[in-house]
Each structure stands twice: as structure tokens, then as C-alpha cells.
């Protein structure tokens, strides 16, 4: 029997602890082309962290049958009137779903279907979000503190970033008169 290395989820921070935890960092440099106001992005320090993802992948990526788990930490911040957010993606295997659970902070889960219809769900500590298959998903941090989101997805979901990096979502979450609003269009 395969012995799995122990992993702990720190309930106070959402941090995953264990030697098999992998971490990805996305900085302002990595987010080129994702925000509406490219000039505002260029004015920020390119090393500024936008978000970090910790993940445990105890199964061959791309193969059917396993589950992955991760924590995403999105920093508070703005690029122009747009909130710091994840890149967002469809699953490569379009009929794979996912759960997101908010641990801390205030945010919005932005969902887009294949017809580019875009909606958002408010996120606050304890909200559980089922992301149906065939929906692109992205998270924006609309608060002043780190937005911490737990996620669980199938090992054969895969990530298709191309569609979003080239066409974006059908709307953008922007701060208008101090409030988050989903504005249709690019
Ligand atoms: C999440 C995301 C994570 C980062 O684990 O991968 O929040 O967002 P991007 O992948 O869009 O950069 C997930 O949805 N996995 O499938
Ligand atoms: Zn996903």
C-alpha cells in the first residue's frame, strides 16, 4: 500500500503544510494582458504578488480517477478600476466540475458559459461554490484583506488558459463609485 505523506490544513490561514505541497506564484508581470488597463498594470512593480496557489496533486495530472486540492490566496489590490484576480480558465476537459470554498476575505466568483454569458457569486467566509462543468471560472478580491479560497477538482480536469487569455470573460468586475460591478464587454 502506498503511504501518503501527511498534509495539514492550517485552519487559521488556509495554508497547506506538508512536503508534497506545490506552490505557484502569479505576479503583476505574469498577468500581462489580463486587465483592461494595461498602462496601470505596467505602472505597478512587476514583482508584486497578485496571487499564490498551493496544491496537493496526489495523482497523475491529466489522468482520470483522482482528486486535487488547493488553496488560493489572492492579495488585495487594484489595476486601474479592476480588482486583483486570478487568470481564470475553462477546464481542458470541459465536462469537469469543481468546488470552491471561501475561507477568508471578500470576493466574487466570476463564471462564464460557452456562450460568454457571465455572472458572479459573492464570496465571504464559509460560502460554498459549485462550479458546473463548461464554465470558465475566475476569482476577484474585492476586499482589503487576503482572499483565501479552498478548491477541489478532478485530476483529469486540466486547465485551458488560452481561451481566456485571448478573449477574456464576457464581463469585468470593476470598482464603480466604490462598489463592485460586473460590467459587460471587454
Ligand atoms: C484553482 C485555480 C486557482 C488559480 O485551483 O487554478 O485558483 O486560478 P488560475 O488557475 O485561473 O490561475 C482551479 O480552479 N483549479 O482547477
Ligand atoms: Zn478550475
Amino acid at each position: 500500500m502506498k503511504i501518503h505523506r501527511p498534509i495539514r490544513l492550517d485552519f487559521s490561514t488556509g495554508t497547506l503544510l506538508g512536503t508534497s505541497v506545490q506552490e505557484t506564484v502569479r505576479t503583476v508581470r505574469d498577468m500581462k494582458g489580463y486587465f483592461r488597463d494595461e498602462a496601470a498594470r505596467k505602472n505597478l512593480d512587476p514583482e508584486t504578488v497578485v496571487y499564490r496557489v498551493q496544491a496537493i496533486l496526489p495523482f497523475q495530472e491529466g489522468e482520470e480517477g483522482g482528486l486535487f486540492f488547493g488553496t488560493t490566496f489572492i492579495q488585495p489590490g487594484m489595476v486601474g478600476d479592476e480588482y486583483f484576480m486570478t487568470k481564470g480558465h475553462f477546464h481542458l476537459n470541459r465536462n469537469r466540475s469543481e468546488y470552491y470554498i471561501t475561507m477568508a476575505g471578500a470576493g466574487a466568483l466570476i463564471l462564464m458559459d460557452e456562450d460568454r454569458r457571465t455572472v458572479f457569486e459573492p464570496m465571504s467566509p464559509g460560502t460554498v461554490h459549485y462550479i458546473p462543468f463548461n464554465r470558465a471560472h475566475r476569482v476577484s478580491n474585492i476586499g482589503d484583506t487576503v482572499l483565501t479560497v479552498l478548491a477541489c477538482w478532478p485530476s483529469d480536469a486540466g486547465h485551458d488558459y488560452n481561451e481566456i487569455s485571448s478573449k477574456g470573460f464576457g464581463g469585468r468586475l470593476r470598482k464603480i463609485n466604490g462598489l463592485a460591478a460586473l460590467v459587460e464587454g471587454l
Side-chain angles (χ1 to χ4, degrees), residues 28-39:
V28 162
R29 175 182 287 115
D30 300 321
M31 297 300 286
K32 183 169 189 245
Y34 280 90
F35 293 98
R36 198 174 64 98
D37 191 342
E38 177 58 14

Side-chain angles (χ1 to χ4, degrees), residues 44-115:
L44 297 175
D45 177 350
E47 299 305 327
T48 303
V49 173
V50 179
Y51 62 101
R52 267 184 323 120
V53 185
Q54 288 190 316
I56 43 176
L57 314 169
F59 205 82
Q60 186 61 42
E61 229 178 329
E63 273 186 25
E64 188 184 325
L67 286 173
F68 293 158
F69 187 86
T71 306
T72 303
F73 305 90
I74 304 140
Q75 294 299 126
M78 305 292 299
V79 177
D81 64 4
E82 237 177 321
Y83 304 92
F84 274 15
M85 63 187 181
T86 59
K87 289 183 171 182
H89 57 268
F90 280 100
H91 288 153
L92 213 48
N93 229 336
R94 288 291 199 272
N95 65 349
R96 294 296 185 271
S97 309
E98 181 163 5
Y99 273 113
Y100 276 8
I101 298 173
T102 316
M103 239 195 105
L109 168 61
I110 301 159
L111 297 167
M112 178 177 76
D113 68 17
E114 295 261 45
D115 296 324

Side-chain angles (χ1 to χ4, degrees), residues 73-77 104-107 125 141-148:
F73 305 90
I74 304 140
Q75 294 299 126
N141 184 348
I142 66 169
D144 302 325
T145 57
V146 176
L147 174 63
T148 308

